[in-house]
Each structure stands twice: as C-alpha cells, then as structure tokens.
Amino acid sequence: MRLAGALALACLTACGQADDAYAKQSGLAPEDLKSGYDFLQAETQALQDDDFANPGFLWVDKGDALFHASEGAPSCASCHDGTDQDLTRAAAHYPKVDDLSGRLVNLEGRINLCRERHQDLPSLEYESEALLGLTAYVASLARGEPMSVDVSGDAEKYYEAGRDYFFLRKGQFNLACSQCHNDNWGKNLRGDTISQGHGTAFPGYRLEWQDFGSLHRRLRDCDAGIRAEPLPYGSDTYTAVELYLAKRAEGLPMESPGVRR
Amino acid sequence: MIRISIPDTAKAGEILDIKAMIQHPMETGYRRNGKGQVIPRDIITSFECTYGGVIVFKAGFQPGIAANPFLSFCLRAAQSGPIEFKWTDQRGETWSETRELTVS
C-alpha cells in the first residue's frame, strides 16, 4: 500500500522521484531512521528528558537572556518576538542558502549575519559562550519539529559537497563517515553502540566534553577519531555536511538541547 | 548561570523537592591540554543552602564531581522566608541566589 502510494506520487511529481533518490543516497531506509537518543543508555536518556537535569538548559537560559537583551542595538527579540519574523520552528530548516550572499549558512552563521546586517554588532566567535547560548536558545524553540531542509536550487551543490564528504575515506584509518554510520550502526565499537550519526541533538551537551557544543565541534571529534585533520569551526565543508546530515535525518524531531555520551 | 527549581508557595509541613544547578567546568587538575601542559584545578568546593538564615543543606565537592554540578534535596516548609543557595570555589569566590518561600 505504502509502496503503491509512493510509486503513484513518484509518477505524479518529479519531487517524489527526488525524495526517493535522497533516501537511497542516505544509505538509510526511512523506516530505519533512529535518533542518537535511541542508542543512549537509559540514564543518559533520562538526563535529556528532564528539562531541569539537562545541563544544556544552562546555555538555553543564557541565550534566552542574550536574545532579549539590547547591547547598544535593538535586541533580537525586538524583531523576532510576536511578529511574522517569529523563530519558532525555524531551526529545523537550517542550514539554508542566504538569499543576499548565495552562501549556505547554518544557525550560527545566520545569527552572525543578523548581528552584522540588522544590529550593527560584530559577529560572535564560533563556539564562544555567547554564540552557543544564542544558538541553543533558537534551536530549543524548534524542539520536536521534524527536520526538513531545502536542498534544491542553490542548495544542491552544498548538499552534494556534504554528501561527498560523508562518503569520502580520510585520515590515517582511511574511514568514511558512511562506514560507521550507514554500514555498521547498531553494532558495538568498544564500549559504545554506533549511532546513525544524526545531528538532531546539536547544539547539545556531551558528557565526554562535560560541556555544551555545536555540531561542528562534534564533527571535529569524529574526524579526530578517525585520525583525519579536523576542519576549522564554521568551515564551508562542515556546513555542507550539516546540510547533508539534516536532509539525511529528514523527519526526525529536533532534540536540541540534546544530551549525548 | 544558575538554575534553581523550588515552588514559590507551600503549606506548612509540606516536603519540598529542591533542585539546583550551577554552570562550572569543575576542572580536575589531572587533565592536560593539547600541548601536554597540566590544566590547573578549578573546582567548586562547597555548597550551602540556608532557610531563614539557618543551614538546611550543605555539601563539600571534590575533583571527582562532574562539570555543572546538579544537586537535588528535600526541605520541610516551616515558615515564610528567604532560601539562599550559595556556591564557593577553591579561591573563595562565591555565587548565590535567593528565593522567597511563602508558607500558608
């Protein structure tokens, strides 16, 4: 029934065909999609489920305060609270191509563009406490919203670049992301169960870090783990990977601020 | 950042669940940075909760406590008054926050 529906849709619209193609490229069947949450032990899941015990909310609270504070310029909230520029659910649709520059930006990049263009404030350093806080706050507004990004038009080349990085063998171990997260998820890697490598919990709190971090920090750890050279924070390649991962995780709910091991 | 969870009002004799969390790296002093240098110890050493000026809960912290320590304890509501939460680090720097509890 489901297949027949999918086929009918594919015949009707080119869009349906494209979606099938994306599912195939991701290496994960849509019904197999599992959040990183499902690979955690019960205690870590409990930490994420309790909005007080979840340490990520320290950053959400900080971001909330920054969002509503005016540092010599109108606050973020003056444009975004209770207007048609409301940010509820916005984070589930990032990264996105910026109309003015034609470049792909993630949430961090969008916040910095907003500061420069509309608030006349300097951009914040990647992974600074202020940028982490603001990103955490904006991402938390989209909690529960299914991931859904646009990879058509200008975004297509970034999607392809991200996908290529995901399947590229690299580092001293000569491993591609796909070899763990597509081919071997659910199996054990020393003490851990290999997840599918979705970024839906980020920005999030990692117990290993004892700290809150962006998806780029997580990707840097992945690259270091396979003994490849990590790319700089905010690099175009990581942002493209972020887009690929978001498309790959399409339909999974946003969990930021998530808790991961 | 400090996060505290406590009701504003309570009935006399009621047992309240109190939760408190503070953002702090709790650096153990046993780790090294990328250059192999020791990262100096930086920890919170004590926490105190006072209710109407009387200590009702006290904790001593050691380097084994995780970052952003989270404490949860119970308190019996007796009379209206301020509840103060105070953290002190190894250099004697303190952070505190006070909440008013109204008991009926």
Side-chain angles (χ1 to χ4, degrees):
Chain A
M1 182 67 198
R2 193 192 162 93
L3 186 68
L7 281 174
L9 202 72
C11 297
L12 279 171
T13 64
C15 182
Q17 281 176 350
D19 277 353
D20 282 353
Y22 287 127
K24 197 170 277 176
Q25 284 175 2
S26 79
L28 297 170
E31 63 272 17
D32 284 342
L33 276 192
K34 272 182 202 293
S35 160
Y37 178 90
D38 296 326
F39 298 94
L40 299 176
Q41 58 185 19
E43 291 81 354
T44 316
Q45 291 178 340
L47 205 56
Q48 173 170 323
D49 291 340
D50 180 342
D51 282 358
F52 191 88
N54 181 343
F57 277 91
L58 289 164
W59 281 265
V60 174
D61 285 356
K62 188 180 299 178
D64 189 347
L66 285 172
F67 193 85
H68 294 92
S70 42
E71 27 172 336
S75 68
C76 312
S78 65
C79 281
H80 291 295
D81 265 4
T83 66
D84 58 350
Q85 302 286 318
D86 191 79
L87 294 183
T88 316
R89 295 190 283 278
H93 310 299
Y94 271 81
K96 205 178 236 184
V97 172
D98 170 49
D99 292 336
L100 274 181
S101 64
R103 286 184 49 174
L104 186 72
V105 290
N106 58 7
L107 214 49
E108 287 87 346
R110 169 60 69 202
I111 289 167
N112 272 335
L113 281 181
C114 223
R115 285 174 65 87
E116 288 167 11
R117 287 178 188 164
H118 305 302
Q119 293 179 298
D120 207 18
L121 291 171
S123 60
L124 294 166
E125 198 186 330
Y126 216 98
E127 220 60 16
S128 62
E129 287 285 293
L131 187 56
L132 279 176
L134 281 169
T135 318
Y137 173 70
V138 176
S140 74
L141 298 177
R143 220 160 38 132
E145 180 74 5
M147 292 295 288
S148 153
V149 286
D150 183 5
V151 296
S152 63
D154 289 345
E156 196 175 348
K157 65 173 190 281
Y158 295 106
Y159 171 84
E160 283 168 1
R163 182 197 60 204
D164 291 349
Y165 193 81
F166 191 85
F167 286 94
L168 176 72
R169 282 173 165 249
K170 50 194 167 296
Q172 290 178 324
F173 287 169
N174 197 27
L175 280 170
C177 313
S178 61
Q179 288 179 289
C180 282
H181 298 295
N182 282 356
D183 304 342
N184 288 298
W185 63 266
K187 296 182 191 161
N188 290 337
L189 182 66
R190 302 173 88 183
D192 286 339
T193 315
I194 303 173
S195 77
Q196 292 181 348
H198 300 300
T200 48
F202 289 87
Y205 193 86
R206 265 192 96 204
L207 300 175
E208 183 187 309
W209 295 335
Q210 294 276 296
D211 200 2
F212 195 81
S214 67
L215 185 59
H216 285 202
R217 183 172 179 189
R218 183 70 193 86
L219 293 175
R220 281 170 61 86
D221 270 17
C222 277
D223 275 344
I226 56 169
R227 300 192 186 170
E229 191 156 339
L231 303 176
Y233 283 111
S235 85
D236 289 344
T237 305
Y238 276 165
T239 310
V241 173
E242 205 174 332
L243 179 71
Y244 173 70
L245 291 179
K247 184 66 187 173
R248 185 172 170 268
E250 186 154 70
L252 284 179
M254 284 279 289
E255 289 172 38
S256 179
V259 179
R260 292 294 181 263
R261 63 201 167 214
Chain B
M1 286 304 290
I2 290 173
R3 304 189 81 216
I4 288 166
S5 161
I6 179 174
D8 296 331
T9 58
K11 290 198 169 65
E14 193 180 336
I15 292 174
L16 310 176
D17 267 329
I18 296 181
K19 296 172 183 172
M21 186 189 281
I22 185 167
Q23 186 183 351
H24 195 281
M26 293 298 284
E27 191 58 60
T28 61
Y30 298 120
R31 299 198 310 155
R32 285 167 188 272
N33 65 16
K35 291 178 180 156
Q37 296 150 336
V38 171
I39 307 171
R41 194 179 93 155
D42 176 16
I43 63 167
I44 284 177
T45 47
S46 73
F47 168 83
E48 260 180 33
C49 175
T50 57
Y51 178 18
V54 181
I55 294 177
V56 289
F57 184 91
K58 194 172 174 176
F61 289 5
Q62 301 294 328
I65 305 282
N68 312 310
F70 168 41
L71 291 163
S72 176
F73 52 94
C74 296
L75 181 67
R76 189 188 298 277
Q79 76 285 336
S80 297
I83 300 186
E84 190 191 14
F85 302 83
K86 191 167 114 185
W87 289 262
T88 308
D89 78 359
Q90 60 186 40
R91 293 181 300 272
E93 192 178 342
T94 61
W95 299 269
S96 72
E97 193 145 319
T98 306
R99 297 294 166 90
E100 286 297 324
L101 179 71
T102 309
V103 176
S104 56

